[in-house]
Amino acid sequence: MKRRAFLTGGATYGAALLTTGVSAAAADDERKAANGVRHLGQPCRARNIHAGVLVEDAGREWFVITNTNENANVELIFIDAKTDTGHVYRAPAGSGAWALKKLPGNRLAIGTYYDGMFLIFDVPTRKWVRQVKFPGEDYIWQVALGSDGRLYGGTYPGGRLGALDVDTGAFEDLGAPTPENKYLRWTTSLPDGRIHCNLQFERPQSLIFDPETKQFTPAPEHFNAVTKGAIWNGYYLHGNKAYRMPDLAVSDPLPFPAPPADAGAWAVDINLTDEKTLVLRQGTDFYEYRVGDPGLTKTVRLRARGSGGLFARNAGGQCYGIRGQDYFVISPAKPKQELRRIPGEAAPRGTHFLYADDQGRLWGGPTFGQTLFYMDIKTGKTVNTGVVSDDGGEVYGVEVLDGVCYAVAYAGGEVIRFDPAEPWNQLNHVNPKTIARVGPDYIRPQAGVRVGPEGRLYSGWLAKYGEYGGLLLITDPKTGKSEQVNDPLGPHGLSGVQPVGDGLVLLGSTIYGNGLGVQKDTPSRLGLFDLNAKKLVYSHDFPGSASLGSFVFDPATGIAAFTAVGGKLYLFDVNWRAFVGGANDGPAIEGLTGYNIVMLPGKSRVVYAIGDTLHARGLRTGATATLATLPAKIESISAAPDGAALYAACGVDVYEARLG
């Protein structure tokens, strides 16, 4: 939307909700329908911050953070905390960046996803000065400086290490040291300039790369579990241990004092520790230590778990942190954690899903960011929430019951309750609130969430990173009491779920696993699970298909619809347990390009997208019709509860199509 946003939210808990709207005249002008289609706006304005550092320029200190934007490219946001102002610098490539590194010459380096780029930014001129692609790779996870002055980055999906000369742009692909591992997730500098490479998930291990010999060598066995670390006083630190150079032996005793043992576990804070100042975290308390100090000094304290992450610390002891859409600065002199909305204009983002509720609102949320938006369809007023969870990730889908939103979220494996009519207080886990959790064993709600005829929530999940497996979760929205069915279709993730009445749930599987390749020689599977008998009463395999998803059901006909990878739509008669509408149990429709399908309530028609066009097919009649053509490719759709309208996301834009 081309208008200024204004902020609302309770002062007690900081900036939580971002509301945008339009004037009556502008709304009337913008929303004039063309052939029954009207543009509703660009409602998703969430930020997703992965990394942050402090830089100095022209006598000012700047907190610089990386922000994800799949549409406008990854951003560097420079925040001046003294004036609470910011400047946004959009990169020439990349959707987001986990990697952010300070370079000599007051420059910054980032490594991007989903295009695997090294980007160099010159701080004094505020310009992007170099862009280098890592051939064949989608992610550059983290970057580290080696003893040769080159910048090293690890990748996905090849699990490769690359080196960039930041001055000339010369790039060298150093190969995949363990080809079975798709993730070279962490690359960290050791005190002697070698590179610690941690690989995941097929055969997790750590290797050491020597820039002088250009060789990988295995790390000591005790070091394999170390993923990343920080350099302090010549030691490499991780967790509650210090490792000596060059053999990476554990230093015993520790070369620094430890926090009180009776106060619980503690660990080195990798973000805040530098070569001179050690920072330890124990619970919500932080300690500092420098060589020669008589002991640890307690410095700052966060309010609680999930109250934010600290990214950087300056010489004066001020710590800079991020919590969702907000930033904060704390120090021993000013210990109160006050959340302030990240300054600068938030560019629009695409939505991960759409959901039209019976209150006249349209819901969605970004891929990455763990936030929601909800729009008043009539007025255009839109609220972008703060984070709905203490864990990173994103919401995969929602259902709304009696005006209350229930969301399923990766990566903490949560079912979350959010009442937009009540005051926002996520920091204290009041609203929104997690009512059920299946993590850490199951983390990704690939199948989304559906409401059963009895009012319970049905969601389908994938197992944690490094494991195959699926979970059906059935949750009472009022109490949070849940029933779990592990691996109802075998040791495969669930990518589709739909309750169909009489205690039966239609399920679909995927052969993908978190952090893993596909399950070889394994088909995706359709299954009908009887909750009362606690067993599978029907199954059908789909050889050559990786996933089944977007399950919907029409009670009037007893027919369910779902999609298979490759743009295929299937119709399945639950009562007869037979496929309909296609030849030889084949698809009823092919060539789908949209993210999902929907049922038109009360119409016994399934709606799907091909390119920029919405189509419908009668479940019994087989008759097809073109419903609406939109300005761009359709990515996700939803239907109004009364069946009178469809809603579609095309990139960052959302449209309404009224049906006659």
Side-chain angles (χ1 to χ4, degrees), residues 117 123 175 238 302 304-305 513 621:
M117 293 279 190
V123 173
H238 171 84
L302 294 178
R305 178 193 178 273
T621 67

Side-chain angles (χ1 to χ4, degrees), residues 73-84:
N73 292 342
V74 61
E75 302 169 340
L76 287 181
I77 303 177
F78 279 59
I79 300 172
D80 183 342
K82 288 185 177 180
T83 61
D84 193 25

Side-chain angles (χ1 to χ4, degrees), residues 446-447 450 495-497 508-509 547-552 561-565 597:
Q446 189 73 36
R450 300 287 189 270
S495 52
V497 60
S509 74
S547 294
L548 308 179
S550 194
F551 281 48
V552 292
F562 61 92
T563 62
V565 170
I597 60 175

Side-chain angles (χ1 to χ4, degrees), residues 363-449:
W363 294 77
T367 300
F368 283 164
Q370 209 63 286
T371 67
L372 294 168
F373 72 79
Y374 53 98
M375 166 191 281
D376 185 308
I377 296 170
K378 185 176 181 180
T379 67
K381 182 180 178 182
T382 301
V383 174
N384 278 271
T385 73
V387 289
V388 298
S389 166
D390 290 346
D391 293 288
E394 65 267 322
V395 172
Y396 266 69
V398 302
E399 288 281 356
V400 177
L401 299 172
D402 299 322
V404 178
C405 175
Y406 296 89
V408 289
Y410 162 89
E414 299 165 277
V415 180
I416 299 166
R417 181 187 190 275
F418 169 51
D419 187 347
E422 294 296 322
W424 178 273
N425 186 359
Q426 195 279 329
L427 189 59
N428 292 317
H429 307 139
V430 175
N431 184 46
K433 177 182 180 180
T434 297
I435 62 170
R437 183 185 292 271
V438 295
D441 294 329
Y442 297 90
I443 60 172
R444 192 183 300 272
Q446 189 73 36
V449 60

Side-chain angles (χ1 to χ4, degrees), residues 574-636:
V574 173
N575 297 319
W576 290 97
R577 299 179 187 177
F579 292 92
V580 297
N584 300 318
D585 294 341
I589 299 288
E590 296 191 66
L592 276 66
T593 59
Y595 180 77
N596 64 313
I597 60 175
V598 295
M599 284 289 182
L600 274 180
K603 309 290 185 181
S604 295
R605 301 167 83 193
V606 62
V607 177
Y608 53 95
I610 298 178
D612 61 359
T613 305
L614 292 169
H615 303 268
R617 175 183 171 121
L619 300 178
R620 287 297 188 199
T621 67
T624 60
T626 298
L627 302 180
T629 299
L630 276 62
K633 179 184 175 182
I634 299 164
E635 295 174 351
S636 58

